[in-house]
Every structure is written in C-alpha cells, then in structure tokens.
Amino acid sequence: MEKINGEALFSLKDKIIVVTGGASGIGRTVANYMAAMGAHIAIFDVTADKAEAVAGELVELYGHRAMALACDVTKPEQVEQSLERVAETLGVPDVLVNNAGIGQHKFCLDLTPEEWLRVNDVNYNGIFYMATAFARLLIRHGKQGSIINTGSMSAGIVNVPQQQIAYNSSKAGVIHMTHTLAVELADYGIRVNAVSPGYIFTEMTAKRPQSLRDEWISRTPQKRLGVPDDLAAAYIYLASDSARYTTGSNIVVDGGYTII
Ligand code: NDP
C-alpha cells in the first residue's frame, strides 16, 4: 500500500474554472467553494455588476486571481469571445461549470412559443454553446478538461403541483447532451458530467410563494430545501483529478426527492 495524500484528493489548486450564472445562487456558492479549493475563477453572467462583485469578493477572500465577464450564454459569439478573454487573462481554462439557467412555471397549453424558446435557449442551447466553445478552445491548445452541466431532478421527474414543461424538457435535454458530449469528447480527454439538484433555496426559488416551498419540503424525505452549499462537494469532485475515470455521470443531490 502507498501512503495517500488525503488533502490533495479533491484539490483544485491552480485550476482555472469558468462558472456561468456565477453571480447568483448555486453558481456563486460553487465558485466560492472552488476558490477555497485553490482554483482561479472566471464568473460569466448576464449582469456585469453582479459578476464583478462576486469576482472581487473571491480575490479578497482567497487572494487568487478571479475575473468577471458579462456573457449571455444564448449568444454563441459572446460565448466564444468571453472564453478567449479568459484564456488571455487567466490562462486556458481546465473546468467549465455550465450552470446558467432560468425557471418558468406555466401550464403547457398556456405557454407561448416565445416563452418555450426563451427557456430552452438559456437552459439547453446555452449549455451546448458553452460546452462546445470550451471544448474547441481546449482542443486547440492541446489541453484536457472537465465540463460540469447543472441539470436538475426535473430532467427525470415531472414536478408538481407547479407546471413547468419547458424547464423539465430543457433539463432532460441537458442530461442526454451530457451523455453524448461525454462520448464524443472522450478521445480529447474532456470529461462531461452533470449535477442534478433537487429543490434548492436560491434567488430562483425565493421568488416562489412560501406555500409552494412548503409543499416542496413536505414531498422531500429530508424535510427541508437544499442550500447551494449542499451541492458544492459534487461539483468539486467532478472538477478534480479524482474524477478522472468519471464521465457521462449525473450526480443527483435532492434530499431523497426522486427516490420515493
Ligand atoms: P439563480 O437565478 O440564483 O442563478 C442563475 C444565474 O444565471 C443568475 O445570476 C442569472 O442572472 C444567470 N443567467 C440567467 N440567464 C443567463 C444567460 N442567458 N447567460 C448567463 N447567465 C444567465 O438560479 P439558481 O442558482 O437556483 O440556478 C442555477 C442552475 O441550477 C440553473 O441551471 C437551474 O436550472 C439549476 N437548478 C436550480 C434548482 C433550484 O432549486 N434552485 C434546482 C435544480 C436545478 P440574472 O439573475 O441576472 O438573470
């Protein structure tokens, strides 16, 4: 038996990590944990001010390099340019946390085509634009890496009592896209996995009425909403070299919601 350096197991020391939707909720918290594990972070978000504030906080807390870019994941050109900026400023990234997403509660027959397209544009097309631009950049530079897509338990179940067909469909697409990218990018040493949260208390779910959140809690075996901190270790594992044989997986973190 060899002596193991336990502390190095999940280290992200000097990894360069892009987090989309990193100015809020799950992305912001995951960025904080990843910086704590030694990573340099690029926050991508639609609102520049919010993204800059988070990057500034990371520098202050950990003294690592961090940057912020106003990047809308639905705009392929912006996505390409923003990733180039990261490569020039921090270095070619190692990890993409492909996390930006929006929610929507609406009955299927009331949904307009525009509303359907908007949710799918951010949650589904955005994941594809970011993942493929990231992979092209890495391949061009001969670098290997890891993509972590934020899916959702909604990829595999139909949430009730609210109605959210566009969201559920977009997340189901994200999971199968994760599988497909994992296979197609394996030859390039790029791993692709997903984390699928259950109900997590963030800016997204805080907008919903307390009565609805109480209903979600009553349906969750652990009888509470998750918080973004509950997810951090799953992202850290998938970003770390310890996950070198893990690709195409989907880690569900949902307080037991989907097992009953
Ligand atoms: P938040 O709303 O707190 O954070 C999402 C962030 O993404 C926001 O900063 C938002 O900016 C940003 N964003 C929205 N659209 C775009 C875009 N086009 N380009 C770049 N950034 C964008 O949500 P959560 O942290 O809760 O959600 C993060 C991810 O987790 C999402 O993919 C979501 O679907 C998923 N998820 C969340 C669950 C939950 O219960 N909270 C459960 C399962 C999955 P702005 O606020 O300015 O619009």
Side-chain angles (χ1 to χ4, degrees):
M1 218 162 39
E2 274 177 35
K3 187 175 176 192
I4 306 289
N5 178 0
E7 279 180 14
L9 208 55
F10 299 121
S11 171
L12 302 180
K13 191 168 167 16
D14 289 331
K15 285 195 189 291
I16 297 159
I17 301 185
V18 174
V19 184
T20 72
S24 172
I26 293 167
R28 179 171 182 270
T29 298
V30 167
N32 186 12
Y33 276 86
M34 287 182 153
M37 299 302 284
H40 308 280
I41 307 287
I43 301 286
F44 284 17
D45 212 291
V46 268
T47 317
D49 294 359
K50 273 201 312 177
E52 272 156 26
V54 173
E57 270 187 273
L58 294 178
V59 172
E60 213 167 285
L61 287 171
Y62 303 105
H64 306 321
R65 292 175 304 148
M67 68 185 290
L69 286 167
C71 175
D72 181 339
V73 298
T74 68
K75 306 267 182 330
E77 272 182 27
Q78 238 180 68
V79 162
E80 298 263 357
Q81 285 162 7
S82 302
L83 286 169
E84 286 296 342
R85 285 275 307 282
V86 175
E88 287 158 18
T89 313
L90 298 179
V92 178
D94 300 275
V95 177
L96 166 64
V97 178
N98 211 358
N99 166 78
I102 56 174
Q104 184 193 65
H105 291 182
K106 205 148 183 195
F107 174 51
C108 58
L109 303 185
D110 293 334
L111 201 62
T112 65
E114 293 73 25
E115 288 167 334
W116 168 265
L117 287 174
R118 180 64 193 152
V119 171
N120 280 285
D121 210 17
V122 179
N123 293 5
Y124 181 61
N125 295 341
I127 292 277
F128 177 75
Y129 299 144
M130 281 298 312
T132 49
F134 175 84
R136 273 194 293 274
L137 179 69
L138 265 63
I139 291 166
R140 214 166 56 242
H141 288 272
K143 192 166 182 176
Q144 304 196 338
S146 165
I147 298 171
I148 307 162
N149 296 324
T150 301
S152 170
M153 67 174 179
S154 310
I157 57 145
V158 177
N159 303 67
V160 286
Q162 76 275 15
Q163 294 161 322
Q164 48 178 53
I165 189 168
Y167 186 85
N168 293 353
S169 308
S170 70
K171 292 296 185 177
V174 168
I175 298 306
H176 204 51
M177 197 193 314
T178 301
H179 297 155
T180 309
L181 288 170
V183 172
E184 296 193 7
L185 297 176
D187 280 348
Y188 299 95
I190 298 172
R191 298 182 295 104
V192 190
N193 293 286
V195 175
S196 280
Y199 289 115
I200 309 295
F201 190 72
T202 65
E203 287 80 340
M204 182 188 274
T205 45
K207 288 180 205 148
R208 305 302 174 191
Q210 184 61 46
S211 56
L212 183 58
R213 288 200 300 274
D214 288 342
E215 175 77 35
W216 296 341
I217 291 167
S218 77
R219 291 171 184 271
T220 305
Q222 286 197 347
K223 295 288 176 269
R224 69 170 174 91
L225 296 184
V227 289
D229 307 68
D230 296 327
L231 305 171
Y235 285 88
I236 289 168
Y237 163 64
L238 292 172
S240 76
D241 295 340
S242 289
R244 60 189 171 267
Y245 197 54
T246 304
T247 196
S249 77
N250 175 27
I251 302 181
V252 178
V253 185
D254 67 354
Y257 191 100
T258 54
I259 52 170
I260 56 169

